Amino acid sequence: MPELPEVEVVRRGLVTHVVGRRITRVDVGRERTVRRTSRQAVIDGLTGHTLTGAGRRGKYLICPLDSGDAVMIHLRMSGQLRLAPAGSARPAHTHVAMSLSGGEELRFVDPRTFGEVVVFDPARADLEVPELARLGPDPLEDGLTAAGLQAVMAGRARPVKALLLDQHAVAGLGNIYSDEVLHAARLRFDRPAGSLQPRQVADLHHAIVEILNAAIEAGGSTLADAQYVGLSGQPGRYQHQHQVYGREGAPCPRCGPRSSVTRARYGGRSTFFCPRCQR
DNA sequence: CGATCTACCTGATGGC
DNA sequence: TGCCATCAGGTAGATC
């Protein structure tokens, strides 16, 4: 599932392959993908225009257009952006297809249709994409510091994992990376956030930055369901470095055979941790 | 404020 | 072979 590293890999792909190329034609299949506005608004907002950049905040892609508008793309659970030769067979669940000058097509493919494509006026962002303003700091884009993380955690009774997953607290972590980060920082998912010692917050901050950067370097994580691949269809490689996520029953990489990775249910989702070294 | 639940949606997988 | 239940999880919103 796309979290910050996967979205960042896609963003970089857009910078390399899409920014600066004119969108000559737009097809919108399923209306649900453009539900925020309308089919026509997305077609009109993109056709004949060019992405002048590609930005990211948390898991949101935000690309300015030469019209003065911007396009926001959120992959949610199963969305993919794929670049392919024009005229090649479109994958199932291709909901938006943008023909680019130069003969390729940028496709938004999303089996579960949770994802979104929105063209909006940045001057009206508060009205049209209000969630962007509510995002917490992006650990990489906004230079989140240990002190900044401390401010997020301080005095909170909520489990530390709940805060890591809360995009209003910190933007970009999802279920996979929050489990990995907590393992690296030796913290249990259900530790009250406010109970962390300054040293532990510093460790957590360090783990967040290190793991997100390492995952980006590795091209993101592609799980068995292959829900995430990059712009050119390339899978990520960071799943091979996962220490706990999806590894129930395996020996803890830090404790060895003395402890095995345990799966718990937290907030309706799977949580993987080592009961020995995470406290 | 927060905990918990639900909705949204499809595909893969496991049990029988 | 099919059928049904379950799981995957990002985010918003309702409810207590």
Side-chain angles (χ1 to χ4, degrees):
Chain A
M1 312 296 155
E3 302 180 25
L4 186 154
E6 291 75 33
V7 177
E8 175 62 17
V9 172
V10 171
R11 187 196 70 78
R12 294 180 183 187
L14 289 175
V15 169
T16 303
H17 298 291
V18 178
V19 167
R21 294 172 65 178
R22 199 169 114 94
I23 300 168
T24 57
R25 175 194 166 96
V26 177
D27 294 327
V28 175
R30 196 134 160 187
E31 191 120 34
R32 184 171 147 76
T33 298
V34 297
R35 60 193 173 279
R36 181 89 57 121
T37 54
S38 70
R39 179 189 309 266
Q40 205 56 50
V42 168
I43 292 172
D44 293 347
L46 294 175
T47 305
H49 295 294
T50 299
L51 299 194
T52 56
R56 181 188 59 70
R57 287 265 303 166
K59 303 169 194 169
Y60 293 80
L61 284 167
I62 302 140
C63 304
L65 291 156
D66 62 357
S67 61
D69 282 346
V71 57
M72 183 276 269
I73 300 173
H74 198 304
L75 304 175
R76 282 299 226 285
M77 308 289 299
S78 62
Q80 297 179 356
L81 279 176
R82 302 288 298 275
L83 196 62
S88 59
R90 290 176 180 165
H93 310 293
T94 298
H95 304 314
V96 180
M98 293 167 247
S99 306
L100 302 175
S101 59
E104 284 182 300
E105 194 169 81
L106 179 65
R107 298 163 174 165
F108 182 82
V109 181
D110 185 13
R112 298 176 69 180
T113 71
F114 289 178
E116 274 197 84
V117 177
V118 184
V119 178
F120 68 100
D121 174 358
R124 293 167 48 82
D126 285 354
L127 292 172
E128 298 177 7
V129 283
E131 65 266 49
L132 294 181
R134 295 196 290 259
L135 287 177
D138 181 296
L140 304 187
E141 292 294 302
D142 301 324
L144 178 68
T145 61
L149 189 61
Q150 174 72 47
V152 167
M153 301 284 163
R156 304 298 207 95
R158 300 172 70 189
V160 59
K161 177 162 175 170
L163 278 176
L164 293 180
L165 287 174
D166 184 344
Q167 304 300 299
H168 308 119
V170 181
L173 295 170
N175 203 39
I176 295 172
Y177 293 103
S178 37
D179 280 5
E180 290 298 312
V181 154
L182 287 168
H183 179 261
R186 302 175 180 252
L187 293 167
R188 268 184 70 106
F189 65 96
D190 53 1
R191 267 286 293 275
S195 76
L196 302 192
Q197 301 301 309
R199 176 73 224 174
Q200 294 178 309
V201 174
D203 288 347
L204 184 57
H205 171 260
H206 184 254
I208 290 171
V209 174
E210 291 288 309
I211 286 176
L212 292 179
N213 277 317
I216 292 167
E217 282 301 303
S221 297
T222 297
L223 304 181
D225 60 10
Q227 293 270 36
Y228 167 73
V229 294
L231 206 56
S232 307
Q234 76 279 21
R237 302 174 307 280
Y238 192 72
Q239 65 278 9
H240 304 305
Q241 295 179 58
H242 289 177
Q243 305 290 292
V244 289
Y245 184 84
R247 300 180 52 80
E248 182 182 17
C252 170
R254 189 159 46 215
C255 303
R258 289 170 296 183
S259 180
S260 60
V261 174
T262 299
R263 177 191 195 126
R265 207 73 192 159
Y266 171 69
R269 62 225 316 199
S270 290
T271 291
F272 300 91
F273 70 105
C274 170
R276 185 168 182 275
C277 63
Q278 291 180 253
R279 301 284 172 168

